[in-house]
């Protein structure tokens, strides 16, 4: 009886392996790991916001609207974090990427405002924060691209016969991905470089 049970278990293990179960497990973990890196880089960007806003405020006290937009966008991002277990919900993913997009846009507007303050652009702390933001945006781009690829590989696997039968049996479903427009956008990180244009006259001084 024990030998028969052992043989049955071995047979089941072999069938599961042949039907892609183990590969699905590995790919599912790869998707979760890629998502964790996306969150890590987005959090890195969010952590820069308070220091960046406070530094700009020191030179541009009258730009309160922009400061409010950045602060509110950061707060919204903080309230919409998605863990790996919630990745199968397309609505949550859409809300998350929309909130991140709003923060990205708000930060871009903050960078535009800083163009009007030459003393701010020359500030060592601001230059350091600018460099950190630029590097973080690049890391976000890389992390998102890797996540997109991981999801595409996972989805292709569970749709392919006979893997699709195993996926249905064990509850593996297609995962939502970043929308097409966002996939195009992530091919290039947002520009935060000031360039060499001639700035407008400063309206306030530190």
């Amino acid at each position: 009886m024990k030998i028969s049970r052992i043989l049955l278990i071995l047979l089941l293990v072999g069938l599961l392996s042949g039907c892609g179960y183990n590969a699905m497990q590995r790919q599912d973990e790869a998707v979760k790991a890629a998502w964790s890196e996306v969150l890590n880089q987005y959090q890195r960007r969010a952590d820069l916001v308070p220091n960046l806003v406070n530094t700009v405020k020191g030179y541009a006290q009258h730009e309160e609207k922009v400061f409010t937009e950045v602060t509110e966008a950061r707060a919204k991002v903080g309230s919409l974090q998605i863990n790996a277990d919630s990745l199968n919900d397309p609505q949550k993913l859409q809300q998350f990427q929309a909130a991140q997009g709003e923060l990205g846009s708000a930060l871009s507007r903050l960078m535009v405002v800083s163009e009007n303050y030459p003393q701010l652009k020359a500030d060592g702390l601001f230059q350091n924060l600018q460099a950190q933001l630029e590097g973080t945006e690049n890391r976000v781009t890389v992390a998102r691209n890797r996540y997109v690829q991981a999801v595409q590989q996972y989805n292709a696997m569970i749709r392919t016969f006979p893997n699709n039968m195993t996926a249905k049996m064990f509850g593996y479903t297609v995962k939502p991905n970043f929308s097409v427009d966002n996939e195009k956008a992530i091919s290039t990180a947002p520009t935060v470089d000031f360039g060499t244009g001639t700035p407008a006259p400063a309206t306030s001084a530190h």
Side-chain angles (χ1 to χ4, degrees):
M1 182 64 70
K2 289 184 178 180
I3 295 176
S4 298
R5 185 176 297 175
I6 292 173
L7 290 174
L8 179 60
I9 292 173
L10 291 174
L11 177 61
L12 289 174
V13 170
L15 289 173
L16 289 175
S17 179
C19 290
Y21 178 79
N22 290 338
M24 288 178 202
Q25 288 279 74
R26 288 192 296 271
Q27 194 59 48
D28 187 53
E29 289 302 317
V31 170
K32 291 178 180 179
W35 180 251
S36 294
E37 185 60 18
V38 170
L39 290 181
N40 181 47
Q41 297 308 331
Y42 272 133
Q43 185 60 51
R44 186 186 182 96
R45 181 175 71 173
D47 290 343
L48 287 173
V49 170
N51 285 339
L52 191 58
V53 169
N54 288 333
T55 301
V56 176
K57 271 186 177 181
Y59 294 87
Q61 298 94 334
H62 304 296
E63 306 290 351
E64 194 60 41
K65 180 181 178 181
V66 177
F67 301 144
T68 300
E69 289 176 349
V70 173
T71 302
E72 290 179 349
R74 181 180 185 271
K76 189 172 182 179
V77 161
S79 68
L80 290 174
Q81 294 297 323
I82 304 178
N83 59 37
D85 295 328
S86 302
L87 285 177
N88 292 335
D89 189 331
Q91 185 175 5
K92 286 185 178 180
L93 180 60
Q94 187 176 38
Q95 291 173 343
F96 175 85
Q97 68 182 54
Q100 294 292 350
E102 288 178 15
L103 178 56
S105 296
L107 285 170
S108 294
R109 289 192 291 274
L110 184 66
M111 293 298 99
V112 170
V113 163
S114 65
E115 284 284 353
N116 297 325
Y117 301 90
Q119 289 178 303
L120 168 62
K121 291 168 61 177
D123 184 282
L125 176 58
F126 181 74
Q127 290 175 351
N128 178 262
L129 290 170
Q130 175 206 345
Q132 290 186 55
L133 179 60
E134 186 174 26
T136 299
E137 293 291 3
N138 288 331
R139 283 188 285 270
V140 165
T141 298
V142 172
R144 282 188 53 156
N145 270 318
R146 288 175 177 169
Y147 176 75
V148 167
Q149 292 169 10
V151 172
Q152 288 174 341
Q153 291 171 6
Y154 167 86
N155 287 344
M157 173 181 291
I158 68 170
R159 285 172 171 167
T160 305
F161 181 83
N163 293 340
N164 59 339
M165 298 177 66
T166 305
K168 186 175 182 180
M169 184 184 303
F170 289 95
Y172 286 99
T173 58
V174 172
K175 296 182 183 294
N177 212 336
F178 288 108
S179 65
V180 174
D181 288 342
N182 279 273
E183 285 182 40
K184 292 178 180 177
I186 64 176
S187 62
T188 305
T191 301
V192 295
D193 180 55
F194 292 131
T196 56
T198 303
T203 56
S204 69
H206 185 53

